[in-house]
Each structure stands twice: as structure tokens, then as C-alpha cells.
Amino acid sequence: MAAPKRAATLLSKVGMRRYLAKRFAISLLTVFGIVVVVFFIVRVVPGDAASLRAGPYATEERIQYIADQYGLNDPISEQFVDYMSGFVRGDLGVSIRTNQPVLGELLDRLPASLELALYSVLLAVLIGVPLGIVAAARQGSWLDNSARFFAVIGSSMALFWLGLLLIFFFAFGLGWFPGPVDRLAVGTAPPPTVTGFYTIDGVLSGQFAVAWEAVRYLALPVFTLGFVLAASILKMVRVAMIEALDSDYIRTAKAVGVPRMRMLLVDGTRNALIPVITTIGIVLGFMLGGNIIVEFLFSWPGVGRYAFDAISTSDLESLQGFVILVGILYVILNIVIDVAYALADPRIRLGGSAST
Amino acid sequence: MTGNRLFRPLLIASVLLALALVAAACGEDAEPADTTQATDTTAPPATDAPDPDAPATTEVPAPTSEKIIVSLSTDINILEQHLFRSTGSYAVTRALYQPFLDQVYVDEGGARLGTSEVVPSPLLDSYEVADDGTATFTLNPDAKFASGDSITAADAVYMLRRSIEAPGSYIPLLLPFIAIDSPDAFTVVDELTFTITPNQPTALFGRFMTFQVFGPLQESLANEQATEEDPFAFDYFTTNANASGPYTLTSWDQARGEVILDPNPGWPGQVANGGIIVRNIPDAEQRALLLQNGDIDVAVGLPPRLVSELADDPNINVYTAPSTRVNYIGMNATTDPNLSNKLVRQAISYAVPYQALLDNVMFGFASTAGTLITSPMETYQGDAAGIYTTDLAKAQALMDESGVAPFEVELAVQNARSQDQEAAVFIQDALREIGITVNINVLPQGEYSEKLNGREFAMFFTEWFSWGDDPFYQMTFLAKCGAFTNFADGCNERLDEIIAEGTFETDQQRRNELGLEAQQLMVEDANRIYLWSEDWILATGANITGVTKDFTEVPRFENLSKN
Amino acid sequence: MSLLEIRGLHKVFGHGSKAVPALRGVDLEVHRGETVGLVGESGCGKTTLGRIVVGLQAPTAGDVIFDGQRLEDLVGSKGFRSRIQMVFQHPDSSLNPRFRAGTTVREPLQLMKGGSRSDIEKEVDEVLTLVGLGPAYKSRLPRELSGGQQQRIAMARALMSEPELVVLDEPTSSLDQSVRGRIISLLREIQSARNVAYLFISHDLSTVRRIADRVAVMYLGRVVEVAETEEVFESPQHPYTKALLSAVPSFDPNQRTRRIILKGETPNPADVPAGCAFQDRCSLVHGRCREEMPKLETFTSGHDVECFAVPTLAASG
Amino acid sequence: MSLLEVQGLSVGVAGSPHLLLRDVNFDVKAGEVLGIVGESGSGKTMAALAVIGLLPNGIELRGGSIKLENLELADADRASERVTADISMIFQQPRSALNPTMRAGRQVARVLETNQDLGKKDAKAHSIEMLRRVGISGADRVARAYPHQLSGGMCQRVMIAMAMACRPRLLIADEPTTALDVTIQAQIFDLIRSLVAEIGCGVLFITHDLAAVAEMCGRVVVMYGGQIMETAGITDLLDDPEHPYTRYLLEATDKEVDHRVIDVGVNFALKGCRFSHRCPHAYHACNEFPPLFAIGDGHASACFLNKEGRVVTS
Amino acid sequence: MTETVPDRSPEFVPEEFEGPDRQSRTKMSLGFVRRKPLLVVGVSLLVLLVGLAIVGPFLVGDPLSTDPANTFQAPSAAHWFGTDRFGRDVFARSVHAARLDLTIGITISLLALTVGSFIGVIAGYFGGSTDEVIMRLTDVVLAFPGFVLALIIVAALEETMVNVILAVSVAFVPYFIRLTRAQVLKERELEYVDGARLAGNSSMRVAFRHVLPNSLGPSVVGATLVTGYAVLTVAGLAFLSVGIQPPTPEWGVMVGEGAKDIITGEWWTSMFPGGMIVLAVMAFHFIGDEFGGEAAS
């Protein structure tokens, strides 16, 4: 038959470690690539960074002063080396708009974005996974068709439109939720920072009223994102589950009398969820930057909103920092996902013949 | 089917989840007042938190007055008084740095409107101007920085020098109008006395001294924080302050765009409230909503349409007053050859639907601009100068006369300026009538100002507001040949002569004559389309009093109080 | 002189610790116009050998000599492609699903020989007729053909360039039994019409018996026995050949009683023991087998076997 | 009495009028190995899946009865309850038939848990014993391995261990060795034979290989195009094939045939005998569906003509 | 065959059952509607929208024409979708926007498909270091959420329509590279590829004439989904005032413009164009999903 592809070695730890090392090396390369790409994209922006920094009505001297101060008159290669060496030291430059270190500004805003992202994904998983499983298990039924219909609507949904719709009905119309303003009412002081998540910090510090308020402010943006994300998760779970249910080993499980529910959950879901891990990763990755729209719409003080402000004021230094941060988070996330994937799938974890 | 039984758990789980969501949503309905309660119970601990910059917060004897929440439309990004970049920053620095002079205010429609008469601010014991223009300032010995240190003449002079010498400050732009060109103009006389000696007496000197850029800054602290690269400690003062103004900086949450200000115990004046929470809420609709709900007390920068809606709300007070602000579209003849034809520019000026702009963009919260000398401004004589009104027939006739074929032109607008964008739509439609295709180009602020400075735009929107309300000052910036901010690049030598004469002219009759001639020249040249003159507008909750409009039209906090 | 001569051929896949040897020193000859059957179980390297012969893969070491010239010298040369062709195992995937049969069959002519349109068309028709289909099939897409018909098209494609050697890689194993017989007959007819040599690779011993003139048996990357077909089937010498032959299901109940059930499974090619690769499964294993790799040696004329035990058997039998 | 009795079984694709299985009848006795032989598309696997109640999505029973010791299985509601314990099945692709994320031993153990009410611990011990019984040396190690770490033959043994762990009364083996090497095939055949002898279950042995049938089975059902062509004892079938298709099949295995006869695929739309479009003897009557005509003891053929070419009447 | 048996009767013609044969004809029947309801919905929606985009602009009014006397008219017979703050007809604008958005969406998708599959074939077929380099570059691009990538590219370039199309295309190219590459890797293992090599094809010819056409399936399905996502992305950017700018009649622009009116109760200026976006994207997704497309990242 075919050439031997199977080196069925029973290596476990070595395989995993080597896998991780390779994965990590690739990630470093990717991060480097990200910085390069972003740096050069931002450098082609029309406009002179020095005069942008100097602000409107700046005198020529001031522009020159600024250019010197920020090394903007250096050759681009030198600027790049400077930026890279700064980057390695955790310096993403200084915001044009605020004169503050970009990294610090981003890190200040990150918890807000992460809180929004995590709750949205959580909601999406809670809706998407069970519905996807049910839809797959009852393939072709009205339930399946409705789930698919929902999935298409969800993945076709324009976030900004859905957000507006929700604001219109639930904030302005019915008044059930606060308007799209912030994480907390104006005037409510945030709870003492532990995690940066107001919901959790509120509970930790015993300020339950604040935590509850944070939940109310989270509700609409989380639902907006959760709805859209749930659709893609549902879609993926359904496909993966159908594939799993269609597989030979499910047929085997049936043939040797594994009870149906157990078969569905143990054989089906377990295997189906392996590809779903990737989807959730993609979704989370999407959230890390894709929430610009939602953060804009709901005035959410996160990194997405920061990026929007940076764009609308041509604060390219901040924008650059944001994009790099998002890229790096995404890369880290991917490592985590790959590890999760590897842990879930013995074919990867244990090396050997698995060819994907 | 057996399936039903087996899948029921999953099905039920999903349904329950959905129900839980709905329930969570409905649950909110039962406790509409919850938000405010939460605010009340949780706000105090945070504001009581000890702050090194404001050790005396708790000593303020204003237990009954709560903090007033002011929402702004812009970022609060730099608290450095000489580098501020946005209205938000300006408002906060005005609260932190007290200038030596202030205006005299008159009550009108519940608001305190500034007049052009100036008086010593609480920082001063006395202020005198000699005939040669030398001004002598004597400090109030009770005036202290927030740290408790006294404000000395040395601090005042340090600040004045800094404003000239520090690279990056744009204060030097102001100084020619008060005839100062070197730091030697500032002298410390004794611990509490200093003088400013301009090259000649000027009408604008007193007015300029009311601007926050001339509020004292502690010299010793600045020197302490200075570095070799940053000898004026800009970095430090970008995020910190030792206030000389009515408030101290209690906290600044950049991510939320929130600054909390508490009354400054060292400030010798009277603060009418228990502190201010300044919030950046960029979205105007949200500011309006929050104001309606009573979540905020003061909303700055509401678009006219919303203001007109809010004016009917009994829970909201809308304060408006005419302003000398001018909104225009520059037409740069050198950038676009078609615009070099004066007849084309005049045709365009006739085509613009001025009334539609006043009604449908500004909703009545603006007055006719006419020329750079706007209708609320001193020496305005619109009809006499023959200012433009919409007349499409005339416009078409002028186009025909010009012999210029239908052409395309780009109209640049800033992305953050929605009224300009709206006006652009009307103007685009109107100019189509006379064969001119307008392409609207919306640009972010930074790129916009850079291109504007570079004279890259053929047609562009600009708003200008001259602190100090002076027509010649206004024209110096916008119409003088070769002026840095004369973005339309129009140049009329006669106009330059008028400006030169008018700037230091003190005789009102002569000023009026010069003004009329200038307006006629501007109408004739038609270098700009004078769209409207925007009113000063502020919306507050009905329980707020003490709204103040000064020369800068930036919100002032210390007189606000809440009943 | 033989048409194809393979000497000491090695092929290793992968590198370093992951290296997997697929061929471990193969010697084999194919003469003009003859059919050599190459049999062995999955993973024994027979497909790799076939792919090397047609130049789809390069050997790691050893020589392939085609018509007196080394294959590596020939591969780049013009006209070589047309001389050795291959027919693959899976008829459904060996044809481009988007190409009509005519296009598939025409392509080698256009690319390798050229000629006028009508000449090409004539030849296409001729070869299609030769494989039993005829010109009417030119407009068919692969999915419109049955497995047997697809395999005929594949054969027509291989024959277009008038090759001297065709490597047949399990050409019948995906076909139904009834179709299989027809394809075998077709192959025979083609061979007599065109005097083409076949290297017939298969794991199916009964098919090989029906078509091959000589048979080579492979085990773990080596040829362990080679002889005239009947000789191999009637008088197998290598213990593996014996086991293999006896394992084939048979209509004959007596066969079952003679069955040799081998112990264990074929070792992992990445981890072949030193000495004879068959040692762990062999009933005749002795000390030398574990230390030294046996060589292919002549047992009788035209019958080579690679086993230390064989001469002993021959002597005692 | 027969262990399994299938009568008039018909199966079709939902939404299509044509049948994939048409009036299929056979029976399996306890301890007997019944072979179903046919080429691809003959419906042999479909018949097996129908028996165990695992018809793929979109394929439905159209009629007939499937009785396991008088328990009607064609009744969908009752099918899922019983089948599992009494019938088990092994498949063609042993590796993909095992759950890739579950250790081999666990897969066997949980069958024991469900079908023999064993506790986790007992099941585990028992599963290793099971693996040993299917001829796996180093059963402890194999039990801890994941399927991808095992060879195809090893996977098939695990699969057999799982099937046997149910103590089924009927074992369906669907081309259990097609994917395996011939030497491994011999081992697996041996194993199946010995296990059947030990447990005494009936076996439905499905294959395309007549020789394998000859080795494993006492009786054979020959199928073509979803239709039974002939059923007979193995010796009768090999020595004295009746149906044109059977004869054709046997000839193709060792005789020279005319390669110019072009094979065509099964046509499920045919009204009459599904083989009629290929049959060298087809005549007008073949547009009727032929019933099975009994010719001898346990020997029947679905052809209107006998092998002498005379029309059969029943 | 055997002598005793008469040969096949020459008159014998096997008869088939009446009615549709296998799938080919049943697909056309109503059963199809029942089995693929989502596809039917998608195709009808798309036909409707494309028709509207092609014919619509000739039937409705000028999308830029303002009417200060008739601002903020609620939907009525005269103005189906009402009028906006400039007195422009929202329906007329939505219809013109349909043409623009669909054109942009389809252009982006085709552009990304073409470039992506070209690169994907090269990476997949030639493998080795070529593949490695391409995939590492793809990783870098994929490390940015597509929306963010498009955003910074548009922000970096002049905000013209062409640049928006290019920027969004760039964001989707890796998706097609991966899809095509994955398919090529599968396809490459098939025997016809070896067959083509033996038939004398150069490797370029094998890659592009044989492998590519057979590897396009998933990408073409993906392209329908991407068309939808492209419309969403472009509209999303426009909503954030990046890329296409007001007063261009574009759905995202219109929602952005209309978002301001929600608070004052004029829901129609944003809801109708937003609804159009969702309908258009849905049309593509119903179709793409039915053919087994998966979500693009």
C-alpha cells in the first residue's frame, strides 16, 4: 500500500514538549512579524507624526522640536530599531494624543475589554454549545432548522445594528437597562481593583450594589456580542457534532450498546468539542479586537474604544500599540488553544501517527 | 420517538438559559431606582480616599453640597496648563489654575455672562496698570497652592517665563497682541508683587490675563520634577497638579475619562459646590440621555438638534447666548485653479442655503455670520456690507459669467464635527444646482489639521473662536496675508492695512468704519463661505445654578451649585 | 539485457530520529515484454519501489537502470517520461475529476509527442479502442464511468506515449471481483499487442498468479524471494512466502489444514530488528538470523531466496 | 428455530422511490456462520445495518420483518431497547471504528459496564481479560493505549473484544478483514471462529470475497443490486451454482473472460431483476421481479431460468 | 458463456420504473424546497437584492437630494423608509446603497479568492520552505482580527473606495490561502496528480491546471460567506466613519448617520439600512452554509 507514514512511537512527554517548543518558536516569529507589519503600515500613513504630535496651530519650531524629541527625523531603519528595542523592554511608545505611555494606557483599559469579552464568550458558549448539540442530534428536525436559522441570522448580524436595536428597545424604549454609557453609572466609584473586572471586584470587596450595577451595564453589550458569537459557535458545534455522530466510532458505540445519551455526550461531544476549541479561540480572538464597534457603541472604556479614539484623532502611536497588543494576545491565545487542543486530543498529545 | 426523552435534558437546559436571560432583563424593571442608590452608597468611600495632592479634602465645610457631574464631549488628556489640547483638558486646567484676573459677570437668563470689564481674581489683593502699560500685580497673602504653600510672585513670574520659553507651548502666539516679546517683561518686585511690562499699552492685555494659561505654577515643584530633557517638568504636570485654582485633582481615571475634583482649601475664593466629577462622554446622544435621566448635571457640547429637543424638558435648563464664534468654509484659490476665479467664489457664496443651515443644522442656535466679523461681534454691519443670502439665479449668472466649466471640488470635513458634516450635505446638494460637484472628504482630526496647515485643501470647514471678542484680532489670524492660520490663503493688502490700524485703534467710530470696509472687502473677495456664528450653549439639570460664560466659553465649575 | 534493473535500492522517509526506511536494499530485474509481480503486505515498500521506478520519487541510495542507463540521468531527459508509465490503485481518484476522458487521454500525447490534431485524435481513438472503450467515451467525465471503465481510461492514458514499461500499482484491488478478471484479461491483451513490460504490484496473490511471469515477494523493504510464478506458488522457499501463500483464503478445504498462522504482526518499519527482519515471526529462526542480515541467494536457477534456513531445507528435503 | 429471521426486507433512500434493498430474506441459526457475499453496491452492508438498526440518516425501512428469536426489530420503538445487548457488530475500518480520544481498555470496559452490569473496577479487570482472550499479548499495555497507537489488526481485535463483551447472540462481521493484510486476516478469521465456537452465537459474515466465505461459512447468500440472487450451502454454491450471476462471479475469479464486455454499475431504477441489464441470458420475463425459486435443500435462486436455460415454475 | 444457456435475447430492453431517476431530477422538484429550505430562502433573498441593486437605482429618487422642508418624515407611502435629517429619502438611499454594497462585497470576495487561492496552491502544492514562509506570513496576518487589520490599513491609506476594497480583501486573503492550501494538500495526495505528472505536465501546470480547479470547491463556498462578511466589514468600518464616508449612500454610513436619531425617536433612519445589511449578509450565509461553508475568522 502506501509508504509508511506511521511512526507509532509511544512518546508522550517528549512529544508534547517538542510540540510546545515548536509552537512557541513559531509564536515568537509571528510576534516579530506583527511588530514589523504594524510598524511599517503605520509609517505609510499620510501625515507627519511630528506635526500630528504638535497639534493644530503649532509653529514650525515646535514641530521640529517634537520631531527631534521623538527621533522622527531619523532614518526609518533606525526608528524601527528604536521601536523594536523599546518593544522588547515593554515600551510601545508615547501616545500622540495624551503624551502618556501607550502600554500603560492600554493596560488600564484592558480589563474592561476582557470583562466584556469573557462574559460574551461565556454567554455564547452557554447558548451555542447546547443548542449546537441538540441541533446535530436531531438533524433535519424543526429544532435543527431553527437553530441553523438562528445561526445564520447571528452570523449575518451587523453588530452595530443589533446594538442599536437593543439600545433602542431596552435602554430607551423600555428602560430595562442603562443607556450605552460606560461600565458603571457616572458617579459610581469602581470597586477596589483586584481583577479589574467590576463584577468580580464588586463581589470581592462586598460592594454588591456596584457588582450588580456592573452586571446591568454589561448586559446589553454582552448580549450584543454574545448573540453574534453564539451563532458561530452553534454553527461549528453543530457541524462538528454531526461529523462526530456520523463517524464510525459512534456507529461502533451504538453497535456495542453504549446507551444513547452517554454515547452522545462521551463519544460525540468529547470528540466534537476538539474542533470547537478552535472556534472558541477564534471567537475570543475576534473579540480582542472586533469589539471596537461594540465598545464604540456602548462607550465601553476598553482597548477597542481606545483604538477608535486613536483612529479618529490620527493617534497612530496608540493605534500601533493597540494593534500589536491585540496581535500578541491573539498569539498567546492561540498557544493556549493549541495546548488545550493537544490535551484534548491524544493523537496530538502523544505524537504518533495523527495526520491532520 | 425515544429521542425525545433522551434529548429533553439538553433542550430544557437551553430553554432555561434563555428564560434566565429574559428574567434577568425583566428583573431590571423592578428596581429602576437602583442605579442612583448604588451611586449614593458607594460614591463616598472613593471620594473620601486620602489623596496626597489634596490632604485637606475632608476639611472643606461643604457637607451639604454634593459633587456636580459635568460631562464633556472631549477627552481629558493633558493636565498641563500650557500644553492642553482639548476643551476637556482646558476646563479641568481652568479649575486647577487660577489666573490673576477675572471678568465682571452679569446675570442674564439665569446664567452669569462675562463682560469685557476685568477685575482682580481672588488671588490678588490689587492690580494696577500704568499709562505705559506696565501692570503691577499684588498677590493675596492668603492665596495658597493645594499643597498649602503660599503662592509667591516668583511662582507667577516663573509661570510667565515658562509660557514663553518652554518649547511646545503655543502661548507665544498670543503675546504679540499684548505687545510682549521677551521674558524680560516679567519682574519680581517683592515676595507678593510682580510686574508685567509690555512694549506698549494694549486693549487686550487685561482680557488675556483672564486665561488659565496665566495661572501660577509652583516653581519649586517644577524644578524638583524637571529633568534635563524636560526642564519645565511638562511630563510631571501632564498628569499631576499642585493647584492654584478653585479645585484640586483628586483622581483621574484615564480609561473611563473621569476626573474628580475637590475644592481647593488653599484657594481664597468661594466654591459653591462640594466638588466636580468631570466625565468624557463622547457621544452627544448619550450625554443628552444621561442629562434627561438626571445621571449627570451638566452637559457640554450638545448638538443643536438635541438642545432643541431638551429645551422642552422641564427638568432641564438650556442656557444659550450669542457668541462671536465663526464657522466658515475656506476656499483656497491657490490649491484649486477653478476657485481662483472670484466670480466662481461669489457664485458659490450665493448658492449656499444659509437659512437651511441655520434651521436644519443649527436649529436656530446660531446667528448669521456674514463675514469673519460675525453678527454678535463688535463692528458688525452685515446688510450694509452686502453679505450673501441664498440666490441661485444670481449664482448661476455669476457662474455663466465666469466662463468656468462645471467642475469637481473636494470639501474637507473633520470626522468629529457633525454639524460641519451635515452642512456639507446641504452644500453638496446646493452646489450641484450650479454645476459644481462637491466630493466630501471626511478626515480624522490629526490628518485634517496637518493638511489644513499644509494648505492642501481646496474647500474646508473651519471654526474659529477668538478669545477676547475683537474683530481685528479675529482677522489678524484668519485674513491677514500670509498669516499662519489664514487657511484660505486669501490676501488683500487693503485689509491688512485695516487690521494693522484697527488692532490698536481705540476710537469706536473709527473702529466701526474700519469694520465696515473690512466686511465689504471680505464679501467682495469671497474667500470664505461664512456659514453661521454658533451660539454658546450649555444644558444642565433644572436644579443647577451658577452657569458661567467667560471669554473662553469653556465651562467654569466653581460657581455651579445644586439645590 | 534486462529492461529494468534495480540494484541495492534504499529509500528512507523523514530525517534523524523520525527516519523510516521503506526500502532496505532491493534487487530486482524486469525483462522486455514480461510481467513481474511484486507482492507483499502493506508497508513492505512495494508502492515506494514502483514510484521510484517511474521517477515520482528519488531513491536514497542504490541504482535503477533502465535500458542500460541510470534512471537519475534519464529523468530530466526528453522522451524518458514516455517510456515508463504507471497505472494507479484507485481508479476513482487517478483521473482528474474535471477532465473528460478524451482530455485525460489526449494530454500525454500533446505534452510529450505533439503532432497534428487529427493524428492525435486518431491515436486517441485507437488506444481507447484498444482498452475496450472506443471513441464514444471521450466525452465522459470520470464520475460518469464505472470503476472498471475509469481504470481502462487510466490505462489508455498510460499507453498513449507507447511506454516500454508500465508499473501497475494494485490496478485491480479496488475493483469488484467480476471486473477484476476483465481487467486482467485486458492487460494481457495489451501486453501481447504492444510488447510492454509490466511491473505488477499487488497484495492479492491470486491475481498475481494469473498475470505474472515471475513473482518477487517483499517483506519490510526487501525482496525475500523471487522466482517464476508457478515456482513460487508451488514450491515457496522462504518461510514468509509460505505463510503468506497459506494465509490466502481458498475454496479448497485442504488448504486450511495446511495453514500457517504467523505470530504477531509486521514490525514497525522504523524499528526493524537487526538481522533478518522476519526473525520474530519465523518458526525457523536461529541464532544467526538475529545477528546477520541474509542476502538474496540463488536456490535453484531463476529462484532466489533470502533465508539462512533455506539451503538446509533444500538439502534435507 | 432460527436465531435471526429476515423476511421481505426493503430499504430505500428517503424521498426516492427506488429501493436499495428489495425483498431480502435470510435467516441465521444459533452457532451458524451465514455469509452474505456481493460486490460493492450489492446491499450486503445495508442489510446488516438494517438488522442492527443502524441505518444511516436518510435511509429508511420500507417494509419486511426482522425477527431476533421472535422479537420483531423492524418496529422502530422497540428496536433501540434490545438490539444492543443481543446483536453486536464489527466493521471494516477497525481504526476509525474506535473512539480516538478514549483508551482501548476503557472502550471495552464500558461495554462491560453497560451490558454486564459490572462496576468500574471489575469492568476494567475484565476488559484486560477480554483483550487477552482476543489474542492480544501485553493486554495491559494495549488497554492503556489510544487507538492511533495500535496497528489495524490490533484495533480489530479490540473491536472484536468489544463486540464479544456484549455476549451477543448474533455477531455481524462486516468485511472485518478487508482493510487488513492477508496474514492478519488469517489470524482474525481464526479468532472469530474460535470465539464463535466458545460463545455459540450466530454470525452474519459479510464479504465481497467468495474465498473468505468458503472458509468461514456454512451457508451463503449471494446478493446483487440490493436483491438476493441465490442462497445455498457453501459446497452447493461452489460446486453447482445456479444463478447466472453466481456463475459469472465464480468464473471471474479464475477463468479467462472477455474483457470487452464493459461492466456497468447497478441500476436501482430497474423494474425487474437488477442483474438483467448485465445478464447474458436476460429475456422479456426479466422485467418482472424474480422471486427466490427453491431448487434443493436450502438452495434457492432468484432467476426465471435454471442453469439449463429452461424456465422455472414454482 | 456456458453452452447450455441461451444467449441474451436481442429484443430484451431492461425497463425502469417511471418517475424521477436518482437525484438529478428530484433536485428540481418541490422536494428540494423542503429539504433545503435555507438555501431557497437565501437564493430568493439574493435574487431580490441583486435585482434591486441592478434595477432599483433607476426607479428611485436621487440619494443625495436634500429637502430641508421635509426632514425626519416617518415612513409613509411617499417615503417608504421615511426621510432623514436632510430630508433625503431613506429608501432611495438604501436602494442605491444596495448596488454599492453588493458590488463592494462581491469585488472583495472575488479579489481575495483569486489572490488567496493562487498563493494557497503555491504553498500547498510546492510545500517545503515555500509553504513554510507563506504560512508564517499568513500567521502574522491572521494574528490580527480581520476587522482590525482592515481598519489599520484603511486608516493608513487614503480613505478611498478602492483602498477600502483592497484593505478588506487583504484581511480575507489568508482565509482563502488556508482553505485552498488545505484542499490542495488533500488533493495532492490523489493519484491523478501523479498521473498528470507522468502524462508530462510541468509542476506549474500540474499545480494550476490540475490541482487548482479541483481545490477551489471549499473556497468558492467560502467566497459566498466572505461576500457577506465583506459587506459587514465595510459597513462596520463605515459605521465607525472609517473608509466610506457620508453622504455616500452606503448602508453602514446610513446606520452611522441614523444612530444619532435613535434617541430622538427617529428609528427609521438607522433601522432600515441596518436591516438591509443583515438581509444581504443573510442571503450569502444561507447559501454558503447550505454548501457546508464554515465561519471565516
Side-chain angles (χ1 to χ4, degrees), chain B residues 200 203 378 470 472 498-512 514:
Chain B
Q200 65 174 99
E378 188 199 337
D470 183 86
F472 301 99
I498 295 172
I499 295 168
E501 191 186 339
T503 304
F504 297 104
E505 180 57 63
T506 45
D507 175 55
Q508 195 57 45
Q509 180 62 34
R510 181 60 188 149
R511 279 173 74 87
N512 286 343
L514 291 170

Side-chain angles (χ1 to χ4, degrees), chain A residues 196-259:
Chain A
F197 288 15
Y198 289 175
T199 46
I200 295 175
D201 289 352
V203 171
L204 289 181
S205 63
Q207 300 180 13
F208 297 107
V210 176
W212 177 241
E213 192 179 302
V215 169
R216 284 170 44 82
Y217 275 80
L218 269 167
L220 288 185
V222 161
F223 189 80
T224 306
L225 281 165
F227 181 82
V228 171
L229 302 182
S232 55
I233 290 179
L234 189 164
K235 218 190 252 189
M236 188 67 210
V237 170
R238 181 180 168 275
V239 169
M241 194 67 190
I242 284 176
E243 196 173 300
L245 290 181
D246 218 35
S247 67
D248 287 358
Y249 56 82
I250 287 285
R251 198 176 55 176
T252 305
K254 288 179 192 164
V256 297
V258 174

Side-chain angles (χ1 to χ4, degrees), chain E residues 4-5 37 40 45 48 58 84 94 98 108 115 134 136 143 154 163 166-167 195 200-203 224 229 285:
Chain E
T4 48
V5 187
V40 174
L45 256 180
L48 206 75
F58 299 110
D84 65 8
S94 298
I108 288 171
V115 176
I134 292 176
R136 288 297 78 80
V154 179
N163 285 344
L166 288 178
N201 288 280
S202 66
S203 37
T224 58
Y229 286 116
H285 282 198

Side-chain angles (χ1 to χ4, degrees), chain A:
Chain A
M1 295 256 302
K5 283 180 187 163
R6 190 160 300 128
T9 38
L10 281 163
L11 49 115
S12 56
K13 279 180 184 148
V14 183
M16 189 71 180
R17 206 177 299 149
R18 185 175 301 164
Y19 172 78
L20 281 180
K22 190 183 171 209
R23 193 69 196 71
F24 190 70
I26 289 177
S27 301
L28 281 184
L29 207 67
T30 309
V31 168
F32 178 75
I34 289 168
V35 178
V36 174
V37 167
V38 175
F39 182 85
F40 287 99
I41 287 182
V42 166
R43 286 307 173 277
V44 302
V45 172
D48 168 18
S51 58
L52 288 177
R53 269 185 197 284
Y57 318 134
T59 56
E60 190 53 34
E61 296 86 68
R62 170 149 171 77
I63 292 173
Q64 275 315 311
Y65 170 80
I66 299 248
D68 283 345
Q69 199 184 358
Y70 288 94
L72 296 170
N73 291 332
D74 298 342
I76 189 116
S77 57
E78 212 165 289
Q79 291 189 38
F80 178 67
V81 172
D82 282 353
Y83 193 84
M84 261 334 267
S85 65
F87 172 76
V88 173
R89 282 179 279 112
D91 175 7
L92 291 178
V94 173
S95 160
I96 291 176
R97 199 161 36 112
T98 63
N99 265 334
Q100 302 288 306
V102 170
L103 185 65
E105 292 196 323
L106 284 169
L107 293 181
D108 277 354
R109 287 161 173 82
L110 196 56
S113 290
L114 291 184
E115 186 173 34
L116 181 58
L118 284 181
Y119 284 113
S120 305
V121 172
L122 195 69
L123 177 69
V125 168
L126 286 176
I127 298 173
V129 172
L131 271 184
I133 292 173
V134 171
R138 318 276 295 130
Q139 202 187 340
S141 67
W142 65 268
L143 209 135
D144 181 33
N145 277 332
S146 333
R148 295 179 62 197
F149 198 80
F150 162 75
V152 170
I153 291 180
S155 54
S156 311
M157 188 53 77
L159 275 174
F160 49 91
W161 189 67
L162 176 63
L164 274 180
L165 213 65
L166 294 176
I167 292 170
F168 182 65
F169 282 110
F170 294 105
F172 293 174
L174 298 167
W176 290 356
F177 294 99
V181 198
D182 196 354
R183 301 171 77 186
L184 289 175
V186 184
T188 302
T193 305
V194 182
T195 58
F197 288 15
Y198 289 175
T199 46
I200 295 175
D201 289 352
V203 171
L204 289 181
S205 63
Q207 300 180 13
F208 297 107
V210 176
W212 177 241
E213 192 179 302
V215 169
R216 284 170 44 82
Y217 275 80
L218 269 167
L220 288 185
V222 161
F223 189 80
T224 306
L225 281 165
F227 181 82
V228 171
L229 302 182
S232 55
I233 290 179
L234 189 164
K235 218 190 252 189
M236 188 67 210
V237 170
R238 181 180 168 275
V239 169
M241 194 67 190
I242 284 176
E243 196 173 300
L245 290 181
D246 218 35
S247 67
D248 287 358
Y249 56 82
I250 287 285
R251 198 176 55 176
T252 305
K254 288 179 192 164
V256 297
V258 174
R260 191 149 183 214
M261 198 64 194
R262 244 170 94 181
M263 173 207 80
L264 197 68
L265 292 177
V266 177
D267 298 74
T269 311
R270 169 106 194 255
N271 285 288
L273 285 187
I274 292 174
V276 168
I277 292 173
T278 315
T279 311
I280 294 176
I282 290 172
V283 157
L284 252 173
F286 160 79
M287 284 291 305
L288 294 177
N291 50 12
I292 293 179
I293 285 180
V294 170
E295 289 191 5
F296 166 74
L297 197 61
F298 288 91
S299 301
W300 197 256
V303 291
R305 173 81 214 190
Y306 180 76
F308 173 78
D309 291 342
I311 287 173
S312 57
T313 53
S314 308
D315 182 356
L316 299 170
E317 199 82 3
S318 305
L319 184 62
Q320 175 174 306
F322 162 77
V323 179
I324 290 175
L325 178 80
V326 166
I328 290 173
L329 285 178
Y330 193 70
V331 167
I332 294 173
L333 187 75
N334 263 315
I335 296 182
V336 172
I337 286 159
D338 280 1
V339 171
Y341 205 114
L343 288 177
D345 190 342
R347 285 165 295 187
I348 297 177
R349 172 165 31 113
L350 301 176
S353 67
S355 51
T356 41

Side-chain angles (χ1 to χ4, degrees), chain B residues 400-415:
Chain B
D400 295 345
E401 191 188 338
S402 74
V404 172
F407 64 96
E408 279 192 37
V409 65
E410 190 177 287
L411 173 59
V413 199
Q414 256 189 62
N415 61 1

